[in-house]
Amino acid sequence: MASSSSSSKDLASPSTSSCSSKGYENVVKGGLKLKGGESSLKEVGIKAGGKKRKSKHQEELDQLKEFARLQEEEEQSLIKSATRGPTSAEKSFKLAREKRQKSRTAEQIQYTHRQKMDMFNKYLGSLS
């Protein structure tokens, strides 16, 4: 009996190990391989042929960028035309203002403070 029990153990142990290894006999070992080889991993959106395709969304973005650039150029041209310099009316206004300011300063410089006070007192004396 002892021999039959040992033979049954021998049969049991190989059968369990063979069952567990039989399920993995068809497994392929090693790293995963992607379609297209290594060249397709360079950049997303580029096919193996090397041509880059633009999506509709990308084309719309490009159009919007171009439109924004054109608007910015127009704004710059408007700013340049608005800052071209003073007109003839503005020049004459500045000249008249400077002339009035010079005459006011000339009047103020003409008399000293004491002379101004004397003139003011004479004026007040003539009122009463």
Side-chain angles (χ1 to χ4, degrees):
M1 279 222 7
S3 65
S4 68
S5 68
S6 69
S7 66
S8 66
K9 284 183 183 178
D10 291 337
L11 293 175
S13 64
S15 66
T16 57
S17 66
S18 67
C19 284
S20 63
S21 66
K22 283 184 182 178
Y24 296 105
E25 288 176 358
N26 296 329
V27 174
V28 177
K29 295 181 181 178
L32 295 176
K33 294 182 181 178
L34 301 174
K35 291 183 180 180
E38 294 295 320
S39 64
S40 67
L41 297 177
K42 290 181 183 176
E43 188 174 340
V44 176
I46 297 179
K47 285 203 162 194
K51 288 189 177 181
K52 193 175 195 180
R53 289 190 177 183
K54 289 187 177 181
S55 65
K56 290 180 182 179
H57 181 67
Q58 184 66 29
E59 290 174 359
E60 290 175 4
L61 284 176
D62 291 342
Q63 288 175 353
L64 287 174
K65 286 178 184 178
E66 181 68 22
F67 183 70
R69 187 183 61 78
L70 290 174
Q71 277 186 336
E72 194 171 310
E73 287 177 0
E74 288 177 11
E75 289 175 3
Q76 292 296 328
S77 65
L78 287 175
I79 289 172
K80 285 182 181 179
S81 66
T83 58
R84 61 178 174 231
T87 62
S88 60
E90 290 172 337
K91 288 177 185 176
S92 62
F93 174 76
K94 278 187 176 180
L95 287 174
R97 185 174 58 186
E98 289 174 3
K99 190 175 183 180
R100 284 192 304 270
Q101 190 174 4
K102 284 182 183 179
S103 67
R104 285 182 192 145
T105 55
E107 288 176 9
Q108 289 177 351
I109 292 174
Q110 188 176 4
Y111 300 108
T112 63
H113 179 70
R114 182 176 223 153
Q115 290 172 338
K116 289 178 189 176
M117 293 308 296
D118 288 339
M119 288 173 40
F120 183 64
N121 284 334
K122 284 181 186 177
Y123 171 73
L124 289 177
S126 68
L127 289 177
S128 55

